[in-house]
Amino acid sequence: MDLVAGVIANGVLMGAVYALIAFGLTIIFGVMRVVNFAHGEMVVIGMYAGYFLWAAFDTHPLAAVLPAAALLFLIGYLLQFHLVQHFLARPAHVQFILFIALALVITGAHLVAFGPNPRGIFSLASFEVYRIGGLRLDAVRSQAAAAALLIVALLWAFLRASRLGRAIRAAADNRTGAAVVGIRIRHVYAVTAGIGMACAGAAGALVAPLFDTHPFLAPEFTLIAFITVILGGIGSLPGALLGGLLIGVAEAAAALVLSPSMKSVLSYGLLILVMLARPQGIIGSPEGQR
Amino acid sequence: MSAPVLEVERLVAGYGGAVAVDGASLSVGAGELLAVIGANGAGKTTLIRAIAGMVRPMSGRIRHRGEDITGWTSDRVCERGIAQVAEGRQVFPSLSVLENLRTGALLRRSRAREAANLERVMALFPRLAERRAQAAGTLSGGEQQMLAIARCLMAEPELILFDEPSLGLAPAMVEMVFGVVRRLHAEGMAMILVEQNVRDSLEICDRAIVLEGGAVVAEGSGAELLASDRVRAAYLGL
Ligand SMILES: Nc1ncnc2c1ncn2[C@@H]1O[C@H](COP(=O)(O)OP(=O)(O)OP(=O)(O)O)[C@@H](O)[C@H]1O
Ligand SMILES: [Mg+2]
């Protein structure tokens, strides 16, 4: 029983990180209506940032989160402002090709710069566990989950309470209306893309101590982010949170009950069930609004 | 003599090569209410959007208090105090009434006085105060129009561009909209009023222009245009 509880708990922890990744994907879609097919690549950039910070300075895993998020914010801002902006009015398949191209370029750059070999962070911290009652929680995973949830909560508050957050939500709701009240849409879009990709980057730094980093991890993260977002409801921020937790638990449960190599089976099963019963996702509204 | 609040000179604007405003000129003095009338497709909305920085002029000049603002983006135009009550209201449907109003105060020019302005527009539109927590998309058409006007006032504009504010509203609400315009006029606000309610708008305006095919074909005081055979035949059905 303890084993089951432990596996589920660790699934929840992983789910919190998935939620952060999905949050980034869904905010980009919710505001600009573009789908970032290079989202997993952004996670991998964050992982490399985490890895190299650790390799150079032996930093605590959490210390890499801010630099990774800042780097990805910058990348996201510049990408949106100078590149994606020009594709906003283009058909979806053209945008798709743009982001696939971006993904390929990033993976290629990773290969050229860092090679194909996995790079793992070895730290004594990875052997630590927290004991809560009979539950044994992996310390690094717990910290990653706590940090992910904290980031999601802070972003949520930022979107609700700040002036820029209000501008982002307004621009998402009615683009023409945003121009009418004088919102600098291009800047607001770029900030949104920055935030979305910073979520991916922060999540990358958080999982760098958990998985070995290599260029080909990216599609897996992109896929998980997609399942998560579709499950919760496209464009819905609470949906991303719920979806992340569900996927985390589903993976953990499948790994325990079936086999670790089958860990995605339950997630996909869940996805198909939700698609059949509630195509807009668990929390999403039919037209994919926030 | 000081420069007019707004001067538009031989403005040409349109969409991807198609010209919708074709050489229109106008000016709005301090505290002046200029009515713009014209048939569907005459280019009224395009004229408003070009002034507001939402459509890039192909040629011509737009000046605000003597300064050339041609081709400025909408955020900079808003920052100068030129605000819009746009065609179709353009409220933020999933944001609450209060949040909608606060988007009107994102500009640097008025953000410091957001609280005072909120109080002022809530007093002006008690219906909005009652519904402050309601999503704007669930308001009635008339309430949404109130919201669009109130949101525009949150920016502390010195020139308001109204684009068919009474469109699709019941008579009582049309009366409300004209009441607000009249009141702002009495307070000295400069305004451009695009309206289908030709008679009402010619009665309350200081001056009016008639737009046809994107060009100004007649101009005069409201009384002059009300008396003109051409306007009576084309726009008043007389
Ligand atoms: N976004 C657009 N893209 C292409 N053409 C447009 C666009 N908006 C308007 N037009 C065209 O420009 C011309 C002028 O349109 P505009 O909306 O300015 O007219 P209007 O006088 O406001 O009409 P209405 O009284 O129906 O609101 C029309 O021929 C219209 O078809
Ligand atoms: Mg119009």
Side-chain angles (χ1 to χ4, degrees), chain B residues 44-46 87 163-164 194:
Chain B
K44 308 180 295 292
T45 296
T46 308
E87 187 173 59
D163 193 351
E164 307 212 24
V194 172

Side-chain angles (χ1 to χ4, degrees), chain A residues 21-170:
Chain A
I21 299 174
F23 197 88
L25 186 67
T26 216
I27 193 176
I28 290 174
F29 178 78
V31 176
M32 272 90 71
R33 301 273 136 183
V34 296
V35 180
N36 179 18
F37 288 97
H39 208 60
E41 279 71 11
M42 307 294 169
V43 176
V44 174
I45 297 177
M47 291 182 77
Y48 274 117
Y51 171 80
F52 283 112
L53 277 173
W54 169 79
F57 306 110
D58 197 19
T59 49
H60 188 274
L62 290 181
V65 171
L66 263 187
L71 173 68
L72 269 296
F73 180 89
L74 196 68
I75 292 175
Y77 188 100
L78 295 176
L79 268 180
Q80 175 66 39
F81 198 92
H82 293 295
L83 185 64
V84 180
Q85 176 71 29
H86 305 294
F87 287 80
L88 289 182
R90 307 293 294 277
H93 66 271
V94 176
Q95 297 174 352
F96 173 77
I97 291 168
L98 171 70
F99 281 102
I100 292 297
L102 260 177
L104 291 174
V105 167
I106 293 171
T107 296
H110 280 153
L111 265 177
V112 170
F114 312 130
N117 296 332
R119 292 163 187 264
I121 292 178
F122 304 100
S123 102
L124 286 178
S126 55
F127 298 108
E128 283 172 24
V129 289
Y130 297 135
R131 287 172 213 278
I132 301 170
L135 220 55
R136 290 163 51 89
L137 294 180
D138 184 68
V140 174
R141 235 170 240 247
S142 307
Q143 291 166 9
L149 291 180
L150 180 69
I151 294 171
V152 169
L154 287 177
L155 282 177
W156 181 259
F158 163 78
L159 288 173
R160 293 272 136 192
S162 75
R163 210 177 269 132
L164 191 52
R166 205 174 312 128
I168 289 174
R169 289 191 302 131

